[in-house]
Amino acid sequence: LIFLTGCANKETSDISAANDTHVEETTYEPSKEILEESTAETEVQQEIAGKSEQSDTEYQARKILSEMTLEEKVAQLFIITPEALTGMGKVTAAGDTTKRCLEQYPVGGVIYFAGNIEDRQQLSDMLHTTQSYSTEQSGIPIFLSVDEEGGTVARVAGSGISNVSVVEDMCEVTDEERAYEIGQTIGNYLAELGFNLDYAPVGDVLTNPENTVVKKRSFGNDSAKVAALSQKVLDGLHEENVYGVIKHFPGHGATAGDTHEGYAYTDKSLEELEQQELVPFQNAIENHIAIIMAGHISVPNVTGDNTPSSLSKIMITDVLREKMGFDGIVITDALNMGAISQHYSSAEVSVKVIEAGGDMLLMPENFQEAYQGILEAVQNGTLTEERIDESVRRILKVKEKLTAED
């Protein structure tokens, strides 16, 4: 394995101010060359001062990126459990082991489950300590994430900890005001605890009545309604400075099968998907969504084969990015699911995600193998470092906004 030495070295230089010279009774006329140089310098300063918030975020992201090692960049591509990070059986606190492992593998994020939660104070301490370790070591905030959709899927509210409001299943929500309240309610208690990323809402349109995977988790079978209610949840989360992640592109509601267990597919064409399943995702993109989760859903009538969308260049690059106009972070659904783990090694699937145009890898079955697989792919030319930079730039841009909001 390749061991990291921590955050990249940042060179600094002292700039001393030149002394002003006062000459009495003398009129000084600068030369043409000096005037031209001064004008050029002023134009550069005006250009920098006139940067929009978006371009400034881009500038900061590129600056940080330029100071990172390849190993640090690759680590940013992963969101893993605290157990995968530390190698421990069950993690309920962040201590020296977490700190040491984040120095070695400064991952992009950590995802927590009910088993990591004992009580409110314990959870808050663990999250805030983990965040402090990350920012102290690299200057880059870490995504602290959870599946908190409300109703059936609520790792935090379902744990029974104090001062957390339990909300209903999304299939019961019909009003946009209520959807916003749900996003704000969930966002409020997540932010107070220290989370900054929530894998919600479910933007799947339930077009297959036999689908039981997202039946209670979906807003229903009307694509316009699902789009509107999903956006309101996202707005509520954002109001509390928590990033929402709409899922599962291109839509789990039309599928047969369960990606947790194995193969899931829809036989719809791209035109059919555009009429229904893709509507909530397109709406979220038009409302500047930062992160979209790609599901392990095969769409053979679009791609020509059974490759899961999360690994498909046609679906991620051609459809989601180029056709639908998304340039934010594409994160996979959990890579330890049967639809993936039964067919690909952790190293193989990680490379395929990046080749397809994805940015972040959620919970590979074997993190060490996945991490090493991407490093080796860059070293042997299968992937270019420029391609890694493209994804890390997207990640850093979102994290830069997170820092600004804090």
Side-chain angles (χ1 to χ4, degrees):
L1 292 176
I2 294 177
F3 293 91
L4 307 188
T5 58
C7 58
N9 293 324
K10 300 177 182 179
E11 296 180 359
T12 58
S13 59
D14 294 327
I15 301 175
S16 58
N19 293 325
D20 293 331
T21 302
H22 178 65
V23 181
E24 295 182 2
E25 300 179 356
T26 301
T27 302
Y28 170 68
E29 293 186 4
S31 66
K32 179 180 178 182
E33 290 78 8
I34 292 176
L35 281 172
E36 289 176 347
E37 182 178 343
S38 176
T39 301
E41 184 176 349
T42 301
E43 288 174 352
V44 170
Q45 291 172 341
Q46 289 174 342
E47 181 181 351
I48 293 173
K51 283 180 180 290
S52 66
E53 180 181 347
Q54 181 177 354
S55 61
D56 186 55
T57 300
E58 175 80 26
Y59 170 78
Q60 292 296 332
R62 291 185 182 277
K63 182 176 184 295
I64 295 169
L65 182 65
S66 69
E67 298 167 346
M68 296 173 71
T69 66
L70 174 60
E71 290 80 7
E72 288 170 331
K73 294 174 188 176
V74 172
Q76 280 293 311
L77 305 177
F78 290 92
I79 295 183
I80 58 177
T81 65
E83 290 79 12
L85 176 66
T86 62
M88 299 177 71
K90 181 180 179 181
V91 176
T92 56
D96 291 342
T97 301
T98 298
K99 184 176 183 179
R100 184 175 66 253
C101 291
L102 282 174
E103 288 173 352
Q104 184 175 341
Y105 300 107
V107 292
V110 179
I111 178 172
Y112 297 88
F113 289 87
N116 304 117
I117 303 172
E118 293 179 341
D119 58 60
R120 187 180 184 87
Q121 190 61 53
Q122 164 267 330
L123 178 57
S124 178
D125 288 347
M126 178 172 61
L127 295 176
H128 285 95
T129 301
T130 301
Q131 186 64 259
S132 68
Y133 287 158
S134 178
T135 53
E136 286 169 10
Q137 290 161 9
S138 66
I140 302 171
I142 189 169
F143 286 135
L144 298 175
S145 65
V146 67
D147 271 314
E148 196 75 9
E149 301 169 10
T152 305
V153 179
R155 315 301 186 195
V156 177
S159 71
I161 67 172
S162 61
N163 300 318
V164 169
S165 300
V166 179
V167 301
E168 64 269 32
D169 283 308
M170 296 306 103
C171 65
E172 301 175 23
V173 180
T174 58
D175 179 74
E176 289 186 26
E177 184 177 349
R178 177 56 186 155
Y180 180 83
E181 288 175 355
I182 287 172
Q184 199 169 30
T185 297
I186 293 173
N188 179 263
Y189 68 71
L190 290 183
E192 284 185 355
L193 289 164
F195 289 104
N196 53 30
L197 184 64
D198 183 14
Y199 302 112
V202 171
D204 301 324
V205 182
L206 194 63
T207 55
N208 177 6
E210 303 301 317
N211 184 306
T212 59
V213 179
V214 296
K215 189 170 186 177
K216 291 185 177 181
R217 302 159 62 194
S218 168
F219 289 110
N221 59 11
D222 183 323
S223 58
K225 171 188 168 186
V226 173
L229 295 179
S230 295
Q231 187 57 49
K232 288 299 181 181
V233 172
L234 288 166
D235 291 345
L237 288 168
H238 188 264
E239 180 68 22
E240 301 298 328
N241 293 333
V242 173
Y243 276 109
V245 180
I246 193 168
K247 60 186 183 184
H248 310 78
F249 173 86
H252 217 316
T255 62
D258 182 353
T259 54
H260 293 82
E261 304 298 331
Y263 184 65
Y265 73 96
T266 175
D267 57 7
K268 289 196 172 187
S269 67
L270 180 57
E271 291 71 23
E272 289 173 318
L273 291 172
E274 287 174 331
Q275 292 299 312
Q276 289 185 302
E277 283 77 14
L278 295 183
V279 171
F281 298 97
Q282 186 67 67
N283 183 69
I285 292 167
E286 291 170 3
N287 282 277
H288 313 294
I289 184 78
I291 310 172
I292 291 177
M293 178 179 285
H296 308 315
I297 301 156
S298 299
V299 280
N301 286 331
V302 180
T303 63
D305 58 30
N306 291 324
T307 302
S309 293
S310 53
L311 311 183
S312 169
K313 188 172 183 180
I314 291 174
M315 292 306 298
I316 302 301
T317 297
D318 298 350
V319 176
L320 182 56
R321 293 212 187 279
E322 295 181 2
K323 189 173 180 62
M324 297 177 70
F326 183 60
D327 190 39
I329 297 171
V330 175
I331 184 171
T332 69
D333 205 345
L335 293 171
N336 60 359
M337 289 181 175
I340 298 298
S341 61
Q342 293 173 13
H343 302 282
Y344 307 93
S345 70
S346 293
E348 182 182 12
V349 74
S350 298
V351 174
K352 286 184 176 296
V353 168
I354 303 303
E355 287 180 323
D359 301 304
M360 299 197 81
L361 303 102
L362 180 64
M363 294 171 59
E365 191 169 43
N366 185 320
F367 164 61
Q368 303 280 350
E369 181 186 322
Y371 169 82
Q372 193 66 30
I374 293 183
L375 277 180
E376 291 176 358
V378 175
Q379 291 160 358
N380 66 30
T382 302
L383 294 172
T384 64
E385 188 164 357
E386 288 73 22
R387 173 65 192 87
I388 303 299
D389 288 352
E390 183 182 315
S391 286
V392 178
R393 175 186 58 82
R394 293 188 181 109
I395 295 164
L396 293 175
K397 281 175 66 177
V398 172
K399 290 187 173 185
E400 184 65 26
K401 292 176 184 177
L402 191 66
T403 304
E405 287 171 355
D406 289 342

